[in-house]
Amino acid sequence: LVIDRLVSRPSSKGRVTDSVELALRMAAGLVTVMRMDGSTVAYSERFACDSCGISYPEILPRLFSFNSPYGACSECDGLGHGMELDPKKVIPDPRKSLSEGAVAPWCGRWQSYYLAQLGCVAKHFKASPDTPWNKLPKPVTRAILHGSKVAMKFVYEREGSSYRYTRPFEGVIPVLQRRAKEASEKVRQEIAEYMTQSPCGTCHGMRLKPAALAVKVAGRSIQQVCHLPIGEAEAFFADLRLGERQRKVAVPILKEVRERLGFLTAVGLDYLTLERSAATLSGGEAQRIRLATQIGSALQGVIYVLDEPSIGLHQRDNERLLTTLKRLRDLNNTVLVVEHDEDTIRAADHVIDMGPGAGVEGGHIIAAGTPAAIAKASDSPTGAYLSGRRRIEVPAVRRQRRAESIVVRQASGNNLCKVSVEFPLGLLICVTGVSGSGKSTLVNDTLYAGMAQTINGTHHQTAAHAGIDGAEHIDKVIDIDQSPIGRTPRSNPATYTQLFGLIRDLFCGLPQSRARGYKQGRYSFNVKGGRCESCQGDGILRIEMHFLPDVFVTCEQCQGKRYNRETLEILYKEKNIADVLEMTVDEAVNFLSAIPKIKRKLKTLQAVGLGYIKLGQSATTLSGGEAQRIKLSRELSKRPTGRTLYILDEPTTGLHFADVDRLLKVLHALVETGNTVVVIEHNLDVIKTADHLIDLGPEGGSGGGKILGVGTPEAISELASSYTGKFLRPLLRAS
């Protein structure tokens, strides 16, 4: 359609504008200009190339968000990864044969049917189902896992009936993939155990559509910038060079970006990448990110409340955090910090010391004032450690290592630089280094995951490494982390430590209970019989408020005791089972001292500093540190084998100086029985008492992942390149 013909002159500007607008409207945003020489030039309002046919959507902010359907990769919905069946999880033990259950997902309800199928496949390829998987020919294993197009004869006999058919074998993995799409939620969860996370095949983990990734600033796409550690991203935006027109648009945006990156660096998070998933952040890291947001707001007259912001921080990074908190204070704000860290306490303007003990023994203000005043308070446990009247001593003699050791070879997960590390057995080993230096990757993702696969047969996903030697010296590996001991109010310290079963046995054996024919189930609030049916043993009732949060009220029938009237009539020393569950550990030790099995478990809870918690206290009310110590007490109550590897990640989180002292005695007791304890820790009191240190660094993120030194604390303190050694040196000299 020809819209206009004209000779271009200054006076014809208005006519040209009208003609172009009409052409764009008539041709849906496309117009062609033909010159006098016959050549043409195409113009378009759309982000499209008339020659190659490639088109792009309009460039809007939502195009760069993987949370928006407009920008998210259509294959993975912006997650950047998918779940795929992992052959290593499908065949967890290649030493087993098909008849011994080498194919783990097919060892269940239909095992006989599946074994018959696998036997027919092996027979077709002239192989034996009794041959170990790792010795079967490749064509056989390939056909079993991925299927075969060749028709095979199948015979299956059951309960006198015989089923015969000929067809191609679908393959274990295709069958599981099909069932994962078609089956119930329960079956999908079972199949998920054999899956592993892998990058999306379309976006290759970038999470965005190609159109978003094609837009670049200084040669980098938005995802390439987000892949940088915060420290490197800060340098990228600081050095960004833009043209005059671009600068006018970008100046206010760059100002905000640079300030926010600076705040994150100030709180010691320069090693994190901008794309880091929130689910992988520790509690301390998440708290410091929120703190950086508040610094950026520059508010005044605000009360900030922080609960242990030093969690997961090395002493070097802790200095940065304290500088940031003082900066908030200097903006005319009040900063209220709940903290056990000595440096933070000494940096405070005013200290309020609570105590003297924990639980029912606490709740009093022991002292208040400057750190110097607290140190002089005679009845303050905190002051005793600040002044040096009490302290955790450095061992006079370090334990000598045994000949056996576990060696992790060429670990390269996350930021680890193909490091090989030896963990000598029979020692308290402390893995140290600045935040983000690779400690958790080495210990949790490589050592524990690899050992758990070998010894316990778990399906843990292991970080990249060449192998682990020395597993034969260990009979079990236990990770004592800070995850909850239960996620419902029904879980409590008594149930987790298996103490509740012993208490129920005690009440079952009472004459009045036996006369009524009460069994152990009578004293369980999880089954019908002895529990209160009004609240079904919860002790509380949930009232749904629809658009408001649910409200929980005490059950009127049992008054929160969880049991019915008949069950509560059975008394031991004038106490019913509900009264016993309401006791603290310290109270229960005296009350139940006549039963050795119960007393031993209670003593272990006391040993880890949990004498103040109630036996029936809901698991949902316990802190991470308390949950970890309950798990530790459960291990202590077991008969020691002397060949156990214990792994703990920052066990001093939430612990006072006195609690750290008590915890160290427990850890050393585990080592004294021949076990090996590996601890990831920043607390210098733990580090200085360890037998062997493995120090990583020198920095966090891409600047870390190297072994700076191994050996005794004294050896690490002499390393000039070690930040841990720098802070450790004065403590060792003072002792």
Side-chain angles (χ1 to χ4, degrees):
L1 178 65
V2 178
I3 297 296
D4 200 356
R5 291 187 179 90
L6 71 150
V7 177
S8 180
R9 296 188 180 94
S11 60
S12 61
K13 182 178 179 181
R15 180 177 168 183
V16 171
T17 302
D18 292 341
S19 298
V20 170
E21 287 180 352
L22 177 60
L24 291 171
R25 190 163 60 251
M26 297 291 287
L30 203 61
V31 62
T32 302
V33 176
M34 181 180 289
R35 299 192 182 99
M36 292 293 289
D37 60 4
S39 63
T40 59
V41 181
Y43 295 95
S44 174
E45 282 186 319
R46 295 172 294 180
F47 293 93
C49 176
D50 192 45
S51 301
C52 66
I54 294 176
S55 64
Y56 288 92
E58 188 178 356
I59 307 298
L60 296 172
R62 61 182 180 173
L63 178 67
F64 303 99
S65 171
F66 46 74
N67 290 319
S68 166
Y70 196 74
C73 168
S74 53
E75 180 66 27
C76 63
D77 295 326
L79 293 174
H81 60 79
M83 298 299 291
E84 292 184 358
L85 283 155
D86 187 350
K88 291 183 179 178
K89 292 184 177 181
V90 173
I91 314 291
D93 188 356
R95 295 169 297 182
K96 287 184 177 180
S97 65
L98 295 175
S99 57
E100 291 173 333
V103 182
W106 283 7
C107 294
R109 181 181 171 190
W110 298 94
Q111 184 173 1
S112 59
Y113 171 72
Y114 289 131
L115 282 179
Q117 275 200 326
L118 295 173
C120 291
V121 175
K123 184 179 179 181
H124 176 84
F125 286 96
K126 297 179 180 178
S128 170
D130 298 321
T131 303
W133 177 268
N134 54 11
K135 294 183 179 178
L136 284 172
K138 291 292 182 185
V140 181
T141 58
R142 192 183 306 114
I144 290 173
L145 286 177
H146 304 288
S148 173
K149 295 181 180 179
V150 180
M152 303 179 190
K153 292 182 179 180
F154 292 96
V155 179
Y156 174 56
E157 296 182 357
R158 185 183 181 189
E159 297 177 355
S161 300
S162 179
Y163 304 90
R164 299 171 182 271
Y165 51 89
T166 302
R167 69 181 183 196
F169 181 62
E170 189 176 359
V172 176
I173 289 178
V175 167
L176 293 175
Q177 288 173 335
R178 176 169 52 80
R179 295 195 67 211
K181 294 177 182 178
E182 301 171 353
S184 64
E185 181 63 28
K186 182 181 179 182
V187 173
R188 284 198 293 270
Q189 288 178 357
E190 291 175 358
I191 295 174
E193 295 181 13
Y194 305 100
M195 291 183 166
T196 189
Q197 190 172 290
S198 60
C200 170
T202 302
C203 67
H204 304 291
M206 294 292 190
R207 310 178 84 170
L208 295 170
K209 289 179 178 175
L213 297 172
V215 179
K216 297 188 177 181
V217 175
R220 294 179 190 261
S221 68
I222 186 171
Q223 203 61 22
Q224 287 173 324
V225 173
C226 290
H227 192 64
L228 296 172
I230 288 169
E232 292 183 26
E234 189 177 17
F236 170 79
F237 284 106
D239 299 336
L240 193 60
R241 297 291 177 262
L242 300 174
E244 184 64 31
R245 181 171 174 274
Q246 294 172 320
R247 195 179 301 115
K248 288 181 180 178
V249 177
V251 162
I253 300 171
L254 285 175
K255 178 179 178 292
E256 293 293 329
V257 170
R258 287 165 179 163
E259 283 185 355
R260 280 166 166 74
L261 290 172
F263 299 146
L264 289 166
T265 300
V267 294
L269 295 175
D270 55 328
Y271 61 91
L272 293 180
T273 58
L274 289 169
E275 66 175 358
R276 179 82 172 262
S277 170
T280 65
L281 297 172
S282 68
E285 287 169 339
Q287 188 178 45
R288 278 177 277 148
I289 288 172
R290 293 194 292 270
L291 180 61
T293 305
Q294 293 303 318
I295 299 169
S297 66
L299 295 174
Q300 295 185 4
V302 177
I303 296 179
Y304 291 103
V305 180
L306 294 94
D307 190 356
E308 298 191 67
S310 68
I311 290 174
L313 276 186
H314 191 273
Q315 280 68 29
R316 186 205 64 173
D317 304 311
N318 204 27
E319 290 179 344
R320 293 185 193 172
L321 175 67
L322 292 175
T323 302
T324 304
L325 296 179
K326 289 175 181 177
R327 181 176 171 183
L328 272 179
R329 175 201 63 189
D330 295 340
L331 286 171
N332 197 28
N333 297 308
T334 301
V335 182
L336 182 61
V337 182
V338 180
E339 192 54 88
H340 297 289
D341 177 68
E342 183 177 349
D343 292 337
T344 308
I345 296 172
R346 292 188 185 278
D349 302 307
H350 187 79
V351 179
I352 300 171
D353 190 34
M354 304 289 291
V360 294
E361 297 177 6
H364 302 282
I365 295 178
I366 304 301
T370 63
I374 300 296
K376 293 177 182 177
S378 59
D379 53 350
S380 166
T382 305
Y385 283 94
L386 288 177
S387 64
R389 298 193 301 274
R390 291 178 62 184
R391 63 180 180 180
I392 297 172
E393 300 291 346
V394 176
V397 180
R398 307 276 181 192
R399 293 183 187 86
Q400 295 299 310
R401 58 171 292 173
R402 302 204 307 248
E404 302 92 355
S405 64
I406 296 171
V407 179
V408 176
R409 292 184 282 108
Q410 301 290 303
S412 56
N414 293 335
N415 66 333
L416 293 178
C417 304
K418 291 188 176 180
V419 295
S420 294
V421 188
E422 183 181 15
F423 294 86
L425 299 181
L427 301 179
L428 174 59
I429 303 169
C430 204
V431 182
T432 61
V434 298
S435 306
S437 58
K439 302 183 296 296
S440 295
T441 303
L442 174 64
V443 176
N444 295 333
D445 301 340
T446 309
L447 175 65
Y448 171 68
M451 293 290 287
Q453 272 190 359
T454 303
I455 297 174
N456 302 338
T458 62
H459 300 314
H460 288 291
Q461 190 167 355
T462 310
H465 67 290
I468 299 178
D469 302 327
E472 66 275 8
H473 303 307
I474 295 295
D475 60 3
K476 58 181 175 177
V477 56
I478 297 168
D479 180 26
I480 305 176
D481 58 17
Q482 296 198 0
S483 61
I485 60 171
R487 301 190 181 276
T488 68
R490 294 177 182 273
S491 300
N492 55 52
T495 57
Y496 187 83
T497 58
Q498 299 173 347
L499 187 61
F500 193 36
L502 298 174
I503 293 172
R504 286 157 58 196
D505 286 340
L506 168 65
F507 275 86
C508 277
L510 295 174
Q512 190 179 3
S513 180
R514 293 171 66 182
R516 295 188 182 188
Y518 289 169
K519 304 297 181 184
Q520 196 187 56
R522 181 82 195 188
Y523 301 97
S524 171
F525 43 73
N526 290 320
V527 296
K528 291 182 179 181
R531 72 181 184 185
C532 168
E533 288 304 321
S534 178
C535 62
Q536 295 187 334
D538 284 337
I540 54 175
L541 296 173
R542 183 177 71 175
I543 301 175
E544 292 187 9
M545 301 297 286
H546 300 294
F547 298 107
L548 297 173
D550 293 342
V551 174
F552 294 89
V553 297
T554 303
C555 175
E556 294 182 0
Q557 190 74 25
C558 65
Q559 298 299 315
K561 292 184 180 295
R562 298 181 159 202
Y563 295 95
N564 57 32
R565 180 177 56 81
E566 291 80 6
T567 306
L568 296 176
E569 288 174 353
I570 308 300
L571 303 178
Y572 174 74
K573 294 184 180 179
E574 300 183 357
K575 300 284 185 183
N576 58 42
I577 192 164
D579 296 330
V580 173
L581 290 175
E582 275 297 302
M583 292 181 179
T584 65
V585 171
D586 289 336
E587 291 170 342
V589 166
N590 296 323
F591 183 76
L592 300 169
S593 59
I595 300 96
K597 287 184 178 180
I598 295 178
K599 185 178 180 181
R600 185 170 66 251
K601 288 184 180 291
L602 291 171
K603 282 289 187 182
T604 58
L605 284 168
Q606 272 188 326
V608 296
L610 293 177
Y612 62 91
I613 65 170
K614 293 181 179 180
L615 297 182
Q617 186 172 334
S618 170
T620 57
T621 65
L622 297 169
S623 69
E626 288 170 335
Q628 188 175 40
R629 281 180 284 158
I630 288 173
K631 294 175 185 178
L632 192 58
S633 73
R634 180 174 172 175
E635 293 304 321
L636 281 171
S637 64
K638 295 178 181 178
R639 190 181 300 277
T641 65
R643 299 181 63 207
T644 304
L645 174 64
Y646 295 98
I647 294 174
L648 297 93
D649 193 346
E650 296 193 59
T652 61
T653 298
L655 295 191
H656 185 268
F657 302 104
D659 296 320
V660 172
D661 195 4
R662 189 181 288 113
L663 175 68
L664 281 171
K665 290 176 181 175
V666 172
L667 296 181
H668 282 287
L670 285 172
V671 178
E672 284 298 321
T673 56
N675 301 303
T676 305
V677 178
V678 178
V679 181
I680 301 172
E681 193 53 82
H682 294 294
N683 188 296
L684 291 172
D685 285 326
V686 176
I687 295 171
K688 73 181 184 183
T689 62
D691 302 308
H692 186 81
L693 299 187
I694 299 170
D695 194 41
L696 277 74
E699 298 294 336
S702 58
K706 302 178 181 67
I707 302 295
L708 298 182
V710 295
T712 63
E714 287 78 11
I716 300 300
S717 69
E718 299 301 322
L719 293 175
S721 59
S722 169
Y723 287 110
T724 304
K726 171 187 170 184
F727 289 95
L728 193 57
R729 204 173 299 131
L731 290 180
L732 295 176
R733 287 175 180 171
S735 63

